[in-house]
Amino acid sequence: MAEPLASEPLAALGAAARALQAAERAGAPRPSLKGRILAVLCAAEEDDRVDVAMIDHAATELGARVAHIRPHLSEHSDPHTVELTAQMLGRLYSAVVCLDIEPRLMERLGAVAGIPILGGLEDPAHPVAQVAALLGDGSDARKFALQALLLRSIA
């Protein structure tokens, strides 16, 4: 389960999401992740997953490219294999979003990768869900909350 952000970072994430929402409504330019590549590690089948599609949409709308990776790792994987995988992820990507990946494995990857490892985004208690609820109903609210998180994590 994702750890809740302290109230100040949660408020900052909410403010950033509201600013993105206002910029889109006004047709103003928004911050860019152009040149950045985001990896989505998803242990489950991705084909019809709403959260994968939403992450893709949120990232590509900011100019990032998204790579989908189906890892063959678990928290019980050989430590050397996990370390090599983390090093590769750190060289190739600006950040990694993990879906359905064990928290202990995310910690092991994050300790070596040197890039943000974002997990728990599909959890209704995650700060992205909390911010989206504050912004209102609909997928646009979740998109702006995801974009705010990506910008704060990557940029």
Side-chain angles (χ1 to χ4, degrees), residues 4 10 13 15 20 46 57 63 66 80 96 118 141 152:
L10 184 58
L13 186 65
L20 288 165
E46 309 181 9
H57 180 66
V66 180
H80 184 66
V96 176
L118 308 170
R152 287 177 49 104

Side-chain angles (χ1 to χ4, degrees), residues 6-96:
S7 60
E8 190 173 316
L10 184 58
L13 186 65
R18 281 189 292 283
L20 288 165
Q21 187 178 44
E24 182 174 282
R25 287 182 180 156
R30 294 182 295 160
S32 176
L33 292 177
K34 187 175 181 178
R36 304 295 186 126
I37 305 172
L38 177 71
V40 176
L41 293 182
C42 189
E45 288 294 327
E46 309 181 9
D47 295 342
D48 295 324
R49 296 212 31 185
V50 172
D51 39 354
V52 172
M54 180 59 66
I55 292 165
D56 281 359
H57 180 66
T60 57
E61 205 173 83
L62 292 174
R65 294 187 338 207
V66 180
H68 295 249
I69 302 170
R70 188 128 182 246
H72 296 283
L73 296 174
S74 76
E75 66 180 83
H76 305 293
S77 293
D78 172 60
H80 184 66
T81 301
V82 173
E83 183 177 336
L84 290 175
T85 301
Q87 290 171 351
M88 178 206 59
L89 292 170
R91 282 193 291 269
L92 295 176
Y93 303 104
S94 301
V96 176

